[in-house]
Amino acid sequence: MVLVSKFNFNERHRRSQHPLKRLIEYSRQYRHQIWLASLYSVLNKIFDLAPPALIGIAVDVVVEQQNSIIARWGIQDIYAQFIILSILTVIVWILESVFEYALAKQWRNLAQTIQHDLRLDAYQHLQELELAYFEDRSTGGLMSILSDDINQLERFLDIGANDLIQVTTTVIIIAGAFFIMAPSVAWMAMLPMPFILWGSVAFQRLLAPRYVDVREKVGFLNSRLANNLSGMMTIKSFVAEDYEAIRVTEESEAYCQSNRRAIALSAAFVPLIRMIILVGFTALLLYGGLAAVEGRITVGTYSVLVFLIQRLLWPLTRLGETFDQYQRAMASTSRVMNLLDTPIEIHTGDVALPVETVRGEIELHNVTFAYNGRHPIIENLSLYVPAGKTIAIVGSTGSGKSTLVKLLLRLYEVQSGNITLDGIELRNLRFNDLRRAIGLVSQDVFLFHGTVAENIAYGSFEATPAEIIHAATIAEAHEFIMQLPQGYDTIVGERGQKLSGGQRQRIAIARAILKNPPILILDEATSAVDNETEAAIQRSLEKITVNRTTIAIAHRLSTVRNADCIYVMEYGKLVEKGTHEQLIAQQGIYASLWRVQSGLVVASD
């Protein structure tokens, strides 16, 4: 309990940190590239600010001639002075261009690297989270984080980070130049700086919650779109196009309104900055000009100061756009980092159990499980599955049959009791060893967008074409596959939508056959197919269940009547067990279900 409290405290502490600090912590591995990119940005800005100084020197040569700054270096000839000035100009422009290329390449490559690694880290972390996490969240919302939020961060690193560094460099260099060249008027030009910095911080604080709301709204919108695209058949069959269009419009309008609230504030930043800078620029123009006329500063120095204050003006007016990018990026960073900080509730064990050594003996000891603190769906369940035998689990909907599958795969963790495989508790086994030992064929078959061959070989990626065809033949799928337009190279579509339910089911069985696991779980594998397809599936299952531990979860009792043992579940508890004949003789729940399904009992009006 102390460890849990400490972990929760650490998690809350991380989530309370500023997103920029969390991003810096994540980016430690890229610090060399960041320092290099930052150096290029600074050097580029230094050489970018050099031309005003060269203009001031040129003015000084024209006005002072033999008394100019270059003349003090020992070069009295005017022509030679301009030659020196021209050479310096060429060098400055070349170096400015070189570092412009270097910073653009370095920052863009860095942005690509970080967004690539961050997306992979976030996705891999998602894969390690338990199923309960996904049941509480929408696919569209998670897609928004993995795609849109990370892309938002990439856009800031691509442009915004360089802009912030260069604005900071500009302020430091110009402030230093002012105080060195004309300390008597420098304070006038620098007077607006504290107000600009204060205003920038204030705007950040006001913008931050607005952009957090923007990211949330785009998550809701993506969730709605993803849900509707996957459910298009249902939408069309219920003539709900107008209804769904209205719901998408509402989500999109909420996103637009959220953006408008942020834009209303961020758009005011640049005009306000301009007004503040105007004060310093006007003061310099007036008092600097008077100082030049009175001889307190040279004409060249005055020229440099006027040019420099202009060079300071434009970067500061772009600061509003940069801060806008920054706040959007920080809102996105917060969502991505919150995902990365989500604790993994179910951890892999450290006991190895190579698949070739698995016998397949499974035992549940007083297992209790509930979803998210709800009433237990399985309670004090004890069940034994002998190695190499076929057992069936039957019962009404909601009795906990399919939940057992998730517990056996450790997709969820039991609240109490334990489950063992070959005498080893599942908690102690490595995930890979446990799940490689189990082949699952469920009612809800998921096929990936790709070819038939790729879907059969999923999880057995090194399989040869001959092995794929052999597995499909045993599953009685080869014949219909060969009738497809491109045979095994036919694209099945997203979720296998180009195939019928029976075809998808047989491909799923072929996939399990190719995996050749010591334990086979059939979760309502024939409940959604026609009689002919069911007969074909039953023939293939009879072949692959020989000398293999098989757990068949079924609603149709006819498909499991030949099982070595049948367990009957009701409300998460084991109420009957035995062979088909034994259970019929008991005249209990199983016998009642059998009579109904076999047509021996007709419900009265």
Side-chain angles (χ1 to χ4, degrees), residues 417-536:
N418 62 75
I419 306 174
T420 61
L421 171 59
D422 291 349
I424 305 171
E425 191 169 348
L426 295 192
R427 287 190 185 95
N428 298 329
L429 286 173
R430 296 190 307 196
F431 279 146
N432 288 351
D433 290 344
L434 170 64
R435 292 168 183 169
R436 281 178 182 143
I438 299 176
L440 173 64
V441 181
S442 66
Q443 173 186 354
D444 184 20
V445 175
F446 190 95
L447 298 185
F448 294 88
H449 184 75
T451 66
V452 171
E454 288 170 343
N455 274 281
I456 293 176
Y458 194 81
S460 305
F461 303 108
E462 304 301 322
T464 64
E467 290 170 335
I468 293 172
I469 293 173
H470 179 68
T473 302
I474 296 175
E476 299 202 14
H478 178 71
E479 185 176 342
F480 88 76
I481 292 173
M482 294 307 296
Q483 294 174 356
L484 295 174
Q486 284 82 41
Y488 282 85
D489 292 326
T490 301
I491 299 296
V492 302
E494 189 173 358
R495 300 182 67 92
Q497 62 186 351
K498 293 184 178 181
L499 304 178
S500 70
Q503 290 172 333
R504 290 196 296 269
Q505 198 68 269
R506 279 183 271 185
I507 287 177
I509 293 172
R511 180 192 290 169
I513 293 171
L514 188 60
K515 184 179 181 181
N516 192 28
I519 302 168
L520 182 65
I521 298 178
L522 308 171
D523 185 7
E524 302 278 12
T526 62
S527 64
V529 297
D530 56 59
N531 292 334
E532 183 181 348
T533 303
E534 180 185 355

Side-chain angles (χ1 to χ4, degrees), residues 7-8 11 128-130 132 342-347 410 413:
F7 181 84
N8 289 338
E11 183 188 355
E128 295 178 12
L129 296 174
E130 66 286 352
T342 301
I344 298 171
E345 301 290 347
I346 303 177
H347 297 274
R410 279 200 76 204
E413 201 77 284

Side-chain angles (χ1 to χ4, degrees), residues 373-408:
R374 287 181 260 166
H375 184 76
I377 194 167
I378 293 177
E379 194 169 4
N380 295 323
L381 178 66
S382 295
L383 189 150
Y384 178 66
V385 183
K389 299 296 183 180
T390 297
I391 70 108
I393 301 174
V394 301
S396 59
T397 301
S399 59
K401 304 186 302 298
S402 295
T403 300
L404 279 179
V405 177
K406 299 172 183 177
L407 295 178
L408 289 174

